[in-house]
Each structure stands twice: as C-alpha cells, then as structure tokens.
Amino acid sequence: MSTILRATGITKNYAIGKQQIPVLRGVDLSIKAGEKVALLGTSGAGKSTLLHLLGLLDAPTSGTIEYDGREVQSLPVGERARLRHQQVGFVFQFYHLIPELTALQNVLLARMMDTSVLQYWGKRKQAKASAVEMLQHVGLGERLHHRPTELSGGERQRVAIARALIAEPKIVLADEPTGNLDSATAKEVVDLMFTIQQERQLAFLLVTHDEGLATRCDRIIRMKDGYVVDQDLTSDEQAR
Amino acid sequence: MYRLFLAIRYLLTRPINLLGMGGIAIGVWALVVVVSLFSGFLQVIEDHVQASRSDIVATELPAWAEWPALRDALQHDPNVAGMAPRLLHYGLLVEPGKRPPPAPLPGRSAMHGGDQPFLFVFGVQADLEAKATKFDSWIRHPDIPEAMRVRDLTDPLAPIKNTPTVLLGIDRMRREGLKPGDSLRLMTANLKRDRDGRMTPIEIDVELIVGGAYQTNHGGFDGNNVFVDLATLQQAIFPDAPNQVQEIAIRVNDPTQLEATAGRLHREVQRTLEKEGRGYGSVQTWREKNSLFIKNVAHQRELLKIVLTVIMIVAAFLMLATLSMMVTEKTADIGILTAMGGTPSGVTMVFLSCGLVITGVGVVIGLTTGVVTAVYLEEIRQSWLWATGHDLFPLSVYNLTRVPCRIEPLWLLQVTGMAMVTGLIVSVLPALRAARHDPLISLRGV
C-alpha cells in the first residue's frame, strides 16, 4: 500500500510572551492508504497539535509534511485549504456541528466548500442525494431534518462522521471521537467508523486515550512530551 | 456557495438581525419620501415662480435709463418675443379713513416675502405686460370669483370714474375684505436731492380704486405685489422723467435659449447704458432673479438629506452591534469551517454576506415602500386628515392642489449606493474580526 501521509522531523513551538514553548520536538510518522493508526498519549503529549499540523490547520515550526509524496507544509493558505478539503476529513470530540443547520445541511455544507453558487446549483440534486445516502449509511435516515440540539451525542457524532466522509477524503483525522460519549455509544460509533473505513479503504488516524480502542487499530503510535516514543503493530495486526 | 448559504441560515435563525434591516429600511424610506416631497415642492415652487415672472428681466437700471432707448436696443434680438417697461415702488395701501397699519418688525417686510402692509407697486402698461408675462392669464385666472374679477379684461388698468385703478392678489383682497370699486390710498415717499445735495423724503399720496383681482399661483408674489398703470406711478414718483424705466420684463420665443439670450441682452443693456466707460444695468433669467428663494428651499432639502442620513448611520451602528454579537456567538463555527476547507477570506465573506444581505433587503424594502409612499402621499394625507382631523401638509399655504412629489431615479441610485456602502463598512469590521480568529482555539476549546 502506498504512503498517503508522511511527516518528517516535525517540531512546533508556541510563543508565550518572549518564551518559546516546544510542543512537538521532532516527530516522524507515515500513514499508508487503508491503514488505521491510533495516536496514544497523555494530555499535553502533543497529539492534538500533531493532528492539526497533519490536517494542515496549522504550520509546523520545522519539518516536512507530504501528501502523496508532495510537500505541503509551506503551501499558500488557499492551496492548503483546498488540499484539506480534498484529502482530509475531520472528526472531533465535540462534534462541531453548526447548530443553525439540520443534520442534512451540516453534511451538505461540506459539499459546498469548494463550489461556487452556480456550480453548486447545477449539481444540487446530486449533492443532496449523496448527503442523504451518507446519513442513511450512518443510521440517520430518519433524522435528516433534525438540528444538532435535537440529536443525541452519538447521533451528532454520526452526523460529524458523515460530514467528514461526504467529500470523499483519503484520510480521516479523528481527535478523540468517543471522548464525549458513553461506552455503549462510543462502541457503536467506533464500529461504524471502522466499518466505513474498511468499505472505503480510508486511512485513519485516531487520537485517543483509550487503550482498548487503540488496540483495534493496525498500529499504535505513542507520544510523550512532544516525542514519538513507540510505534508498534498491534497484537491484532501482528496476529493477522 | 457555503458563504452565502451559511450567511442566510445565520440570518434566518436570528430575528435580532431584523433590527438592522428595519433600521436601514426606515432610513432609506425616509430619504426617498422626504426628498421626493421636497423635490416635488421645489419643482412646484419653480413652476409658480416662473409663472409669476417674465422669462428674462432687465433690472438694476440707473435713474437715467429710458424705455425708448432700451426698447430699440433690445427688440432686435431674434429670441425676444415681447417686452414691457415697469416702474417699481413700495408703499402702503390704506382704506380712506383708516389708520395705516403698524410698521413690520425688522426682517418681516414685504421684501422678505412676509404678508406685510408694505407692498411693491408695479407700474405697468397692461397691453405690453400681457406680451411679456402671463399678466393676461393672471387676471383671467379661473379661481377668481366673478364679483372680484376685473370688469374690462381688455383694458384692466383703465381708470374708473377718472381715478386710477389698482389690481391686488386675490388672497390679499379676500383677507382685507376688498372688492372692485373700493377706494384705496397709496401712501409712499420718494427721495429728492435738495440744493445742498442732501436726500429729503417727499410724501406721495395717490388715490386709487380697486380694479379687481389677479392670481399667479405664487402666493409670495400675489400677497406682496400690486399693479397700477405705468403712467400713474410715473406721474406720482418721477413726474420729471416721463420715459424713465426701472425694470423691463422680456418674454423669449425659445425658452431653451434662455441663458444665451440673457447674456446677449445683458451686453446690449450695458452697451446702451454706458457712461464714462462703465456699463449699467443687469439682465437676469427668472431663475437667476429668484435664485435666493429657490436656493433656500433647495438648501432645506440638502439639510434634510443630511439629517435623514444620520438615521441610516444609526441603523448601521445597530447592524454593527448585531453582527458583532453574531461573530462572537459563531467563533465556534470558524474552526470547523476551516477544517472543512474554508479560508480566512471565506470566513470573512460569510459574515460580510450577512451584512450585505441585511443591507440589501433593507434597501429593497425601504426603496419599495418609499416609492409607494411618495406616489400615494396625497392619498395618505387625506386618509390621515380623515382619521385624525390633522392636516400633515396644509396645501392652501403653498397654493397647491395636492401634495407634490417628484421621484428622482438618480437620487434613488444615490440612496442605494450610500446604504450599500454604509452596510459594507459596518459589515467589514466584524467580518475581519471573524477572519482573524484562530480556528484552532475553536477546535480545541468548548
């Protein structure tokens, strides 16, 4: 399988006053197509910062990030935004749904991101059909026109997953996607994510504190104090 | 697409945005209605002033200016259709046996357009005046009742019982209870230079009989001017200068050439009245002659524009407040928009679109209701009068038959442009604040 995402020597410092606080101190990692990778570590280890850098939401202080072999960390803002839209889907712990929009509209919004009014108008029916299909796929066919406040936590996260997948990204970056759910709902959501991942052969980078969840991935990357301290195949993967 | 979609959803789910929209709509409405009313009023005033004046007037003529010489000099101009000599004096018209009314307060004289006992007395030749102005239609005005009409319309200033006649404005005649045949005294004075070179006032007293009424539609003119025969006034004030003229009323063939004709006639008057290398007299169009009066109304319209624009600025501040509040509420969305592929400029456009949609809808509502209100202003006045008994716009004061209104497309465009620019300015500030917001802060913290 080809490497979709490669990060080499990533460092990130934040300035607090005149002081530079290092958060990442030289991280190397790569993710292949169709691979599920768990990123484990304690709070403050730099997991979320690394996820934001890999998702091109922020620029590293040094190091390189490659998507499909192309260095992208220093591309212009607009170019990075387009790449993010085309390559990356995000799922967050707090869902980040837009409260004014229904479940369907939240998903459709992701399809509108790189189209003009006229372009979208031409393919609005097709876009709506694929959004409905995606929501049905995540089990929300009956909740299309409900707003986030009318949905449970698990349902909101399903909408967020549908939104992350609607633009057909190559990699999904999930930042503690079950951190705000009870264990039963969390299991349902994870099962759903992994099923879709298998169906679409998506690369998956999952930030989590949950060892149990991490062992369901193909590989675990452990972080501490801004360093990657361990990269192992999980026992499941080894057995396979 | 997401910018407009999100902007509209944000607006539809926040009724508070209607405040800004309503404010803009009210500002635009007021600007359209009030300025259309004033433009209509200005138009009516111009029409009334024009109707009460000759197209062109030769004025500021020196004491030695004589009618035959000026007539001969000016009558050859190809655009001159008719000319009439005039003498102008001021005085009091008093009924015999009555005391003269008290002197007006400073600044309230007839010269300032007030309804005062002091009047301007126009000495005219009726036949020539009818060729230079609308004098004939003034005395035949349909609103003049038969009992107050001039008896002999072919010779309106002919003496009655060997006494010179005077024509008064219809409203003044009504107010003072005068009717044709009533006796009046014109009390005035003239300054004469004595042997020592000092100016001494000489009292003048002329017996007159009311010949009838005239009406020009310009209330300010009718209320303060009366007409007597030129020879009568000549004999009373300039008995030693039988050809003296103080003003010449001129009608033109082609009104589109008014300014050019006035310029030619001015040069001709100056040439004719040249003395010791200096030309005397001045020729003005009716608009130039009354420019101060017309400019006053136009100036009031400009002041109102400024005052009403303030309403729109207040509405804009209201919009700024609601948009700023919305940006503060929606910072959580900025992170996810960025994560989905949005850029800072895209985020700016979301909130800018909100402001522009608010402004645009406000402008459309304001323009539509403003134009409809302006068109049906008279009907609205009558409905209000019927419902409350209060007249918003007393027409009789201005000699109008309905509330005037003139909708100027250029002004509508200017109001639209002004509102859109104001809306854009107040939308840019919160939109830029949204764009400067770090999306990672939204994504990390809840």
Side-chain angles (χ1 to χ4, degrees), chain B residues 80-107:
Chain B
V80 171
M83 290 191 294
R86 287 169 166 179
L87 288 178
L88 277 106
H89 212 68
Y90 52 89
L92 287 168
L93 276 179
V94 186
E95 287 184 73
K98 288 191 178 176
R99 289 171 63 85
L105 293 169

Short mmCIF file of all heavy atoms in Angstrom, two decimals, chain B residues 80-107:
data_model
loop_
_atom_site.label_atom_id
_atom_site.label_comp_id
_atom_site.label_asym_id
_atom_site.label_seq_id
_atom_site.Cartn_x
_atom_site.Cartn_y
_atom_site.Cartn_z
N VAL B 80 -36.27 87.58 -28.68
CA VAL B 80 -37.19 88.40 -27.88
C VAL B 80 -38.58 88.38 -28.52
O VAL B 80 -38.74 88.78 -29.67
CB VAL B 80 -36.66 89.85 -27.75
CG1 VAL B 80 -37.72 90.75 -27.10
CG2 VAL B 80 -35.39 89.86 -26.91
N ALA B 81 -39.56 87.93 -27.74
CA ALA B 81 -40.93 87.84 -28.26
C ALA B 81 -41.78 89.02 -27.80
O ALA B 81 -42.74 89.41 -28.48
CB ALA B 81 -41.59 86.55 -27.81
N GLY B 82 -41.45 89.59 -26.63
CA GLY B 82 -42.22 90.71 -26.12
C GLY B 82 -41.49 91.39 -24.99
O GLY B 82 -40.71 90.74 -24.28
N MET B 83 -41.72 92.72 -24.84
CA MET B 83 -41.05 93.46 -23.76
C MET B 83 -42.05 94.41 -23.11
O MET B 83 -42.97 94.90 -23.78
CB MET B 83 -39.90 94.29 -24.33
CG MET B 83 -38.72 93.47 -24.81
SD MET B 83 -37.31 94.55 -25.15
CE MET B 83 -37.93 95.48 -26.52
N ALA B 84 -41.86 94.67 -21.82
CA ALA B 84 -42.75 95.59 -21.13
C ALA B 84 -41.96 96.41 -20.13
O ALA B 84 -41.20 95.84 -19.34
CB ALA B 84 -43.86 94.83 -20.42
N PRO B 85 -42.14 97.76 -20.15
CA PRO B 85 -41.43 98.60 -19.17
C PRO B 85 -42.15 98.55 -17.82
O PRO B 85 -43.36 98.36 -17.77
CB PRO B 85 -41.54 99.99 -19.79
CG PRO B 85 -42.84 99.95 -20.56
CD PRO B 85 -43.02 98.54 -21.04
N ARG B 86 -41.41 98.70 -16.79
CA ARG B 86 -42.00 98.68 -15.45
C ARG B 86 -41.35 99.74 -14.57
O ARG B 86 -40.16 100.03 -14.71
CB ARG B 86 -41.78 97.33 -14.77
CG ARG B 86 -42.61 96.20 -15.31
CD ARG B 86 -42.10 94.92 -14.73
NE ARG B 86 -43.01 93.82 -14.93
CZ ARG B 86 -42.78 92.57 -14.52
NH1 ARG B 86 -41.64 92.30 -13.88
NH2 ARG B 86 -43.64 91.62 -14.73
N LEU B 87 -42.15 100.28 -13.68
CA LEU B 87 -41.62 101.06 -12.56
C LEU B 87 -41.95 100.30 -11.30
O LEU B 87 -43.01 99.68 -11.20
CB LEU B 87 -42.26 102.45 -12.52
CG LEU B 87 -41.84 103.43 -13.61
CD1 LEU B 87 -42.60 104.74 -13.46
CD2 LEU B 87 -40.33 103.70 -13.58
N LEU B 88 -41.06 100.34 -10.35
CA LEU B 88 -41.30 99.63 -9.09
C LEU B 88 -41.16 100.59 -7.93
O LEU B 88 -40.18 101.35 -7.86
CB LEU B 88 -40.26 98.53 -8.91
CG LEU B 88 -40.53 97.23 -9.61
CD1 LEU B 88 -39.63 97.11 -10.80
CD2 LEU B 88 -40.24 96.10 -8.65
N HIS B 89 -42.13 100.57 -7.07
CA HIS B 89 -42.02 101.38 -5.87
C HIS B 89 -42.68 100.61 -4.73
O HIS B 89 -43.32 99.59 -4.97
CB HIS B 89 -42.73 102.72 -6.08
CG HIS B 89 -42.07 103.83 -5.33
ND1 HIS B 89 -40.81 104.31 -5.65
CD2 HIS B 89 -42.48 104.58 -4.28
CE1 HIS B 89 -40.49 105.28 -4.81
NE2 HIS B 89 -41.49 105.47 -3.97
N TYR B 90 -42.47 101.09 -3.55
CA TYR B 90 -43.11 100.40 -2.43
C TYR B 90 -43.94 101.40 -1.63
O TYR B 90 -43.71 102.60 -1.68
CB TYR B 90 -42.08 99.72 -1.53
CG TYR B 90 -40.97 100.63 -1.07
CD1 TYR B 90 -41.10 101.39 0.09
CD2 TYR B 90 -39.81 100.77 -1.83
CE1 TYR B 90 -40.10 102.24 0.48
CE2 TYR B 90 -38.81 101.63 -1.44
CZ TYR B 90 -38.95 102.35 -0.29
OH TYR B 90 -37.96 103.22 0.10
N GLY B 91 -44.93 100.89 -0.94
CA GLY B 91 -45.78 101.80 -0.20
C GLY B 91 -46.83 101.05 0.60
O GLY B 91 -46.79 99.82 0.69
N LEU B 92 -47.75 101.84 1.15
CA LEU B 92 -48.84 101.25 1.94
C LEU B 92 -50.15 101.52 1.21
O LEU B 92 -50.36 102.61 0.69
CB LEU B 92 -48.92 101.90 3.32
CG LEU B 92 -47.84 101.55 4.33
CD1 LEU B 92 -47.94 102.52 5.51
CD2 LEU B 92 -48.02 100.12 4.81
N LEU B 93 -51.02 100.50 1.17
CA LEU B 93 -52.35 100.72 0.63
C LEU B 93 -53.30 100.82 1.82
O LEU B 93 -53.42 99.88 2.61
CB LEU B 93 -52.77 99.56 -0.27
CG LEU B 93 -52.29 99.60 -1.72
CD1 LEU B 93 -52.77 98.37 -2.45
CD2 LEU B 93 -52.74 100.85 -2.44
N VAL B 94 -53.94 101.94 1.94
CA VAL B 94 -54.78 102.18 3.12
C VAL B 94 -56.18 102.58 2.66
O VAL B 94 -56.33 103.35 1.70
CB VAL B 94 -54.19 103.32 3.98
CG1 VAL B 94 -54.98 103.47 5.28
CG2 VAL B 94 -52.73 103.05 4.28
N GLU B 95 -57.17 102.02 3.33
CA GLU B 95 -58.54 102.41 3.03
C GLU B 95 -58.77 103.81 3.60
O GLU B 95 -58.31 104.11 4.72
CB GLU B 95 -59.52 101.42 3.64
CG GLU B 95 -59.55 100.10 2.89
CD GLU B 95 -60.60 99.16 3.45
OE1 GLU B 95 -61.79 99.40 3.23
OE2 GLU B 95 -60.19 98.19 4.13
N PRO B 96 -59.47 104.69 2.86
CA PRO B 96 -59.69 106.05 3.35
C PRO B 96 -60.36 106.04 4.72
O PRO B 96 -61.25 105.22 4.97
CB PRO B 96 -60.64 106.65 2.30
CG PRO B 96 -60.43 105.83 1.07
CD PRO B 96 -60.09 104.47 1.54
N GLY B 97 -59.89 106.89 5.60
CA GLY B 97 -60.47 106.98 6.93
C GLY B 97 -59.88 106.00 7.92
O GLY B 97 -60.19 106.05 9.11
N LYS B 98 -59.04 105.13 7.43
CA LYS B 98 -58.41 104.16 8.35
C LYS B 98 -56.97 104.55 8.59
O LYS B 98 -56.32 105.17 7.73
CB LYS B 98 -58.48 102.75 7.78
CG LYS B 98 -59.87 102.15 7.80
CD LYS B 98 -59.81 100.68 7.48
CE LYS B 98 -61.19 100.07 7.55
NZ LYS B 98 -61.17 98.65 7.14
N ARG B 99 -56.48 104.16 9.76
CA ARG B 99 -55.07 104.43 10.06
C ARG B 99 -54.19 103.42 9.34
O ARG B 99 -54.58 102.28 9.16
CB ARG B 99 -54.82 104.31 11.57
CG ARG B 99 -55.44 105.42 12.39
CD ARG B 99 -55.33 105.09 13.86
NE ARG B 99 -53.93 105.00 14.28
CZ ARG B 99 -53.20 106.05 14.65
NH1 ARG B 99 -53.73 107.25 14.63
NH2 ARG B 99 -51.97 105.90 15.03
N PRO B 100 -53.01 103.85 8.93
CA PRO B 100 -52.09 102.87 8.33
C PRO B 100 -51.73 101.79 9.35
O PRO B 100 -51.65 102.08 10.54
CB PRO B 100 -50.86 103.70 7.97
CG PRO B 100 -51.28 105.12 8.07
CD PRO B 100 -52.44 105.19 8.99
N PRO B 101 -51.55 100.58 8.90
CA PRO B 101 -51.15 99.52 9.84
C PRO B 101 -49.76 99.80 10.41
O PRO B 101 -49.00 100.57 9.82
CB PRO B 101 -51.15 98.26 8.98
CG PRO B 101 -51.06 98.74 7.58
CD PRO B 101 -51.63 100.11 7.53
N PRO B 102 -49.46 99.19 11.56
CA PRO B 102 -48.13 99.44 12.15
C PRO B 102 -47.02 98.90 11.25
O PRO B 102 -47.24 97.98 10.47
CB PRO B 102 -48.19 98.67 13.47
CG PRO B 102 -49.25 97.65 13.28
CD PRO B 102 -50.23 98.23 12.33
N ALA B 103 -45.85 99.52 11.45
CA ALA B 103 -44.70 99.07 10.65
C ALA B 103 -44.34 97.64 11.02
O ALA B 103 -44.52 97.24 12.18
CB ALA B 103 -43.51 99.99 10.92
N PRO B 104 -43.87 96.85 10.07
CA PRO B 104 -43.50 95.47 10.38
C PRO B 104 -42.25 95.40 11.23
O PRO B 104 -41.47 96.34 11.29
CB PRO B 104 -43.24 94.87 9.00
CG PRO B 104 -42.83 96.03 8.16
CD PRO B 104 -43.59 97.21 8.67
N LEU B 105 -42.11 94.27 11.89
CA LEU B 105 -40.89 94.06 12.66
C LEU B 105 -39.72 93.93 11.70
O LEU B 105 -39.89 93.56 10.54
CB LEU B 105 -41.02 92.77 13.48
CG LEU B 105 -42.07 92.81 14.59
CD1 LEU B 105 -42.29 91.41 15.14
CD2 LEU B 105 -41.63 93.75 15.70
N PRO B 106 -38.51 94.24 12.18
CA PRO B 106 -37.35 94.11 11.29
C PRO B 106 -37.27 92.69 10.73
O PRO B 106 -37.51 91.71 11.44
CB PRO B 106 -36.16 94.39 12.22
CG PRO B 106 -36.74 95.16 13.36
CD PRO B 106 -38.14 94.71 13.51
N GLY B 107 -36.96 92.59 9.46
CA GLY B 107 -36.81 91.27 8.83
C GLY B 107 -38.12 90.66 8.40
O GLY B 107 -38.14 89.55 7.89
#
